[in-house]
């Protein structure tokens, strides 16, 4: 068997995607890009994109109808910014990073306020709501996850993790935390002070990213060793769990170059998902059919982070050096840019033969 998703080298014309219509965002960050997020409010006719960078800033762009972006406002930190997320109403942006704090930027006023503090850098921040109350959850290298009510200066609650938090995602009441030593913690945000479930990643190498399914039934895990795992939360669905290889070069003799899976994004409408990696490619997949929908040519640099907009009509991917080859892999000519890919009708649609869960 060539693998659950078929051969990674599959290049049939119907699965090879087209980058010709992709548009570059103007006025990009001045250093590597760490995170991108779109405003999720369906009532907002406009698309806004937040871009977090190692240049200590988060820039917010309005995406115009011609695909171009217009810089609207930015927030500054005292160190590299690792993570950003929008409030549900799209009016405010959360950001966090190496300065050990999280901030909220009000897009209407341009004012920012500190809302969280850790004892070590914060790798991930996500917005969520509990009984209608806006909250933030932060995950840090100090091995804790903390919950913040924006009306208070102290955390509402804290979770002690086994190791440093590397990645985190929230969808509805599902919080998934990936730490060093490959621990994965699942939390039900209706009962946020304890782990609903703890497991070790089915992938043998370091966890790079976790991403929740659109339907909150499970999550995907990406590792530094060119693999992705599909994991359901409930044991009754464990027969549906599987993993597959991706972001690997074709073998040269007995050597295969393997690349990190840097980000995984789920389509908000179809529930299909993207993977993007250090190899400079992104792919769209259908987990239910165990099928690769589209693969795309190399974009000219590592893809650090990705996001779909609220309707799934735009796929943003950030090209910048991800330090996967250390100091010697960096150069002054390495591209740093955000690209906007217009999603065509068939690119992210699941295969029709699969019965939806």
């Amino acid at each position: 068997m060539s693998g659950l998703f078929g051969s990674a080298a599959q290049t049939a014309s119907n699965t090879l995607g087209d980058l010709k219509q992709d548009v570059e965002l103007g006025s990009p960050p001045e250093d590597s890009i760490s995170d991108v997020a779109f405003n999720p409010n369906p009532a907002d006719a406009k698309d806004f994109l937040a871009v977090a960078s190692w240049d200590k800033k988060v820039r917010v762009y309005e995406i115009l109808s011609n695909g171009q972006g217009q810089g609207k406002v930015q927030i500054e930190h005292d160190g590299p910014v690792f993570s950003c997320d929008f409030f549900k109403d799209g009016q405010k942006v959360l950001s966090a990073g190496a300065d050990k704090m999280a901030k909220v930027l009000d897009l209407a006023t341009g004012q920012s306020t500190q809302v969280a503090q850790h004892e070590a850098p914060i790798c991930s921040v996500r917005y969520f709501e509990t009984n209608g109350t806006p909250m933030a959850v932060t995950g840090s290298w100090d091995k804790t996850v903390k919950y913040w009510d924006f009306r208070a200066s102290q955390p509402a609650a804290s979770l002690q993790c086994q190791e440093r938090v590397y990645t985190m995602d929230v969808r509805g009441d599902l919080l998934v935390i990936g730490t060093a030593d490959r621990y994965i913690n699942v939390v039900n945000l209706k009962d946020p002070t304890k782990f609903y479930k703890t497991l070790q990643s089915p992938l043998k190498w370091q966890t790079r990213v976790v991403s929740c399914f659109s339907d909150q039934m499970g999550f995907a895990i990406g590792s530094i060793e060119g693999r992705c795992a599909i994991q359901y939360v409930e044991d009754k669905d464990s027969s549906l769990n599987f993993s597959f290889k991706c972001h690997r070069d074709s073998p040269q003799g007995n050597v295969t170059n393997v690349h990190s899976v840097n980000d995984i994004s789920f389509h908000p409408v179809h529930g299909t998902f993207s993977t993007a990696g250090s190899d400079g490619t992104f792919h769209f997949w259908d987990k239910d059919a165990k099928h690769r929908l589209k693969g795309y040519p190399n974009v000219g640099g590592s893809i650090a982070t990705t996001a779909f907009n609220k309707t799934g009509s735009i796929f943003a991917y950030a090209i910048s050096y991800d330090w996967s080859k250390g100091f010697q892999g960096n150069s002054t000519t390495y591209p740093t840019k955000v690209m906007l890919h217009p999603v065509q009708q068939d690119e992210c649609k699941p295969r029709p033969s699969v019965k939806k869960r």
Side-chain angles (χ1 to χ4, degrees):
M1 192 173 78
S2 60
L4 289 162
F5 279 100
S7 168
Q10 182 182 3
T11 55
S13 59
N14 64 332
T15 62
L16 188 63
D18 189 356
L19 302 173
K20 289 192 183 74
Q21 292 181 291
D22 293 15
V23 177
E24 182 177 345
L25 205 57
S27 306
E30 294 155 19
D31 204 343
S32 289
I33 299 161
S34 51
D35 201 10
V36 292
F38 277 102
N39 69 312
N41 186 354
D44 193 340
K46 295 179 178 177
D47 275 308
F48 292 95
L49 179 68
V51 180
S53 169
W54 281 72
D55 68 6
K56 307 180 185 178
K57 296 183 179 75
V58 177
R59 293 166 176 80
V60 180
Y61 303 84
E62 180 183 343
I63 308 303
L64 306 175
S65 57
N66 63 0
Q68 294 289 343
Q70 181 177 322
K72 298 297 286 183
V73 68
Q74 67 182 26
I75 179 172
E76 298 205 18
H77 279 257
D78 295 329
V81 189
F82 296 151
S83 183
C84 62
D85 197 21
F86 270 89
F87 278 50
K88 185 179 176 182
D89 63 6
Q91 300 301 305
K92 295 176 181 176
V93 173
L94 273 163
S95 57
D99 59 4
K100 309 175 189 175
M101 64 177 73
K103 293 183 176 183
V104 167
L105 171 68
D106 188 316
L107 299 187
T109 65
Q111 298 297 309
S112 65
T113 51
Q114 181 182 342
V115 295
Q117 181 77 42
H118 277 262
E119 292 176 10
I122 301 172
C123 75
S124 185
V125 60
R126 290 289 181 266
Y127 175 87
F128 72 103
E129 291 183 357
T130 178
N131 299 321
T133 301
M135 302 277 289
V137 56
T138 51
S140 168
W141 296 347
D142 66 11
K143 305 182 184 181
T144 66
V145 167
K146 293 181 179 180
Y147 303 100
W148 306 87
D149 184 327
F150 300 116
R151 300 166 297 187
S153 59
Q154 295 299 312
S158 185
L159 273 173
Q160 183 67 43
C161 295
Q162 305 87 340
E163 252 293 355
R164 290 152 292 163
V165 177
Y166 281 165
T167 174
M168 204 170 65
D169 196 26
V170 169
R171 188 67 61 103
D173 291 323
L174 176 65
L175 165 65
V176 181
I177 305 155
T179 76
D181 286 352
R182 299 170 35 249
Y183 287 102
I184 307 287
N185 298 307
V186 180
V187 178
N188 178 356
L189 288 171
K190 285 193 168 74
D191 189 9
T193 56
K194 68 179 187 187
F195 296 140
Y196 179 76
K197 189 178 225 180
T198 291
L199 58 142
Q200 273 204 292
S201 169
L203 308 178
K204 292 177 183 158
W205 293 81
Q206 179 182 309
T207 302
R208 187 79 174 87
V209 60
V210 293
S211 184
C212 299
F213 296 175
S214 304
D215 63 7
Q216 306 170 42
M217 298 290 287
F219 51 93
I221 309 166
S223 81
I224 62 168
E225 189 248 349
R227 283 180 201 263
C228 179
I230 298 297
Q231 199 78 21
Y232 283 80
V233 172
E234 301 298 341
D235 290 341
K236 66 180 175 59
D237 297 322
S238 63
S239 63
L240 300 169
N241 297 342
F242 67 97
S243 59
F244 62 95
K245 298 174 184 176
C246 50
H247 299 282
R248 293 162 176 247
D249 296 345
S250 299
Q252 303 294 320
N254 59 356
V255 175
T256 301
N257 283 333
V258 176
H259 303 271
S260 171
V261 179
N262 286 337
D263 209 357
I264 297 170
S265 299
F266 278 85
H267 192 281
V269 177
H270 299 310
T272 51
F273 67 98
S274 63
T275 62
S278 293
D279 60 338
T281 69
F282 65 92
H283 306 262
F284 295 144
W285 312 86
D286 179 346
K287 66 177 170 56
D288 300 321
K290 297 182 177 175
H291 178 74
R292 186 177 76 156
L293 299 168
K294 291 281 181 185
Y296 293 80
N298 193 295
V299 298
S302 294
I303 302 176
T305 177
T306 61
F308 286 102
N309 70 338
K310 55 184 175 280
T311 60
S313 62
I314 303 172
F315 177 70
Y317 58 96
I319 305 169
S320 62
Y321 188 50
D322 61 358
W323 297 91
S324 58
K325 294 183 179 176
F327 175 77
Q328 64 271 25
N330 198 15
S331 78
T332 54
T333 58
Y334 206 98
T336 299
K337 55 187 177 182
V338 178
M339 302 296 294
L340 302 174
H341 174 76
V343 178
Q344 306 303 321
Q345 281 299 83
D346 64 331
E347 287 184 309
C348 290
K349 272 194 174 167
R351 296 184 82 185
S353 57
V354 174
K355 190 171 70 176
K356 295 300 285 181
R357 285 172 49 77

